[in-house]
């Protein structure tokens, strides 16, 4: 199993971020091939960090090969390009980790 974990810190404008993220970006992301499961979680508390985490998104794939194949797809490129449309509501871009 391979996963992509995307962590967003609290946005400057939560309402506009949420509106774009959930109504545009998440549907685009769900078109990316090979995703077995996706989930978005609101962070209600963190320990041992200076980050003010807001959302964590987890995309799950069968293996690393399927993940790499997925992110080479046109659907993934569309989702990546859309990031610029809501990054304006963030202080910093999200933290992205690939784990297995």
């Amino acid at each position: 199993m391979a996963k992509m974990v995307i962590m967003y810190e609290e946005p400057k404008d939560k309402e506009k971020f949420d509106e774009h993220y959930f109504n545009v970006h998440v549907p685009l992301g769900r078109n990316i091939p090979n995703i077995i499961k996706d989930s978005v979680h609101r962070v209600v508390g963190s320990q041992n960090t200076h980050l003010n985490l807001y959302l964590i998104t987890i995309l799950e794939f069968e293996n690393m090969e399927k993940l790499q194949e997925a992110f080479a797809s046109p659907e993934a490129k569309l989702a990546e390009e859309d990031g610029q449309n809501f990054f304006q509501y963030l202080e910093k871009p999200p933290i992205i980790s690939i784990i297995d």
Side-chain angles (χ1 to χ4, degrees), residues 26-48:
V26 169
L28 283 173
R30 288 188 171 144
N31 289 327
I32 297 171
N34 301 338
I35 295 174
I36 294 171
K37 181 180 178 188
D38 69 278
S39 57
V40 178
H41 309 270
R42 289 207 187 268
V43 177
V44 295
S46 296
Q47 295 179 352
N48 305 320

Side-chain angles (χ1 to χ4, degrees), residues 8-80:
Y8 297 91
E9 290 188 66
E10 188 169 315
K12 296 181 280 192
D13 187 328
K14 291 180 191 178
E15 186 176 314
K16 288 183 181 175
F17 175 86
D18 283 357
E19 182 179 319
H20 188 90
Y21 189 77
F22 289 104
N23 295 326
V24 178
H25 194 69
V26 169
L28 283 173
R30 288 188 171 144
N31 289 327
I32 297 171
N34 301 338
I35 295 174
I36 294 171
K37 181 180 178 188
D38 69 278
S39 57
V40 178
H41 309 270
R42 289 207 187 268
V43 177
V44 295
S46 296
Q47 295 179 352
N48 305 320
T49 182
H50 66 282
L51 300 177
N52 188 12
L53 295 174
Y54 182 68
L55 284 181
I56 297 176
T57 298
I58 303 171
L59 306 176
E60 298 182 26
F61 300 85
E62 182 180 335
N63 54 43
M64 196 60 68
E65 182 179 298
K66 292 290 187 184
L67 183 150
Q68 291 170 337
E69 191 179 284
F71 283 92
S73 72
E75 295 88 350
K77 296 213 184 312
L78 280 175
E80 183 179 331

Side-chain angles (χ1 to χ4, degrees), residues 75-97:
E75 295 88 350
K77 296 213 184 312
L78 280 175
E80 183 179 331
E81 289 169 3
D82 179 60
Q84 298 310 310
N85 296 322
F86 67 91
F87 285 3
Q88 64 185 313
Y89 307 121
L90 299 170
E91 295 288 344
K92 310 183 241 192
I95 300 161
I96 300 173
S97 298

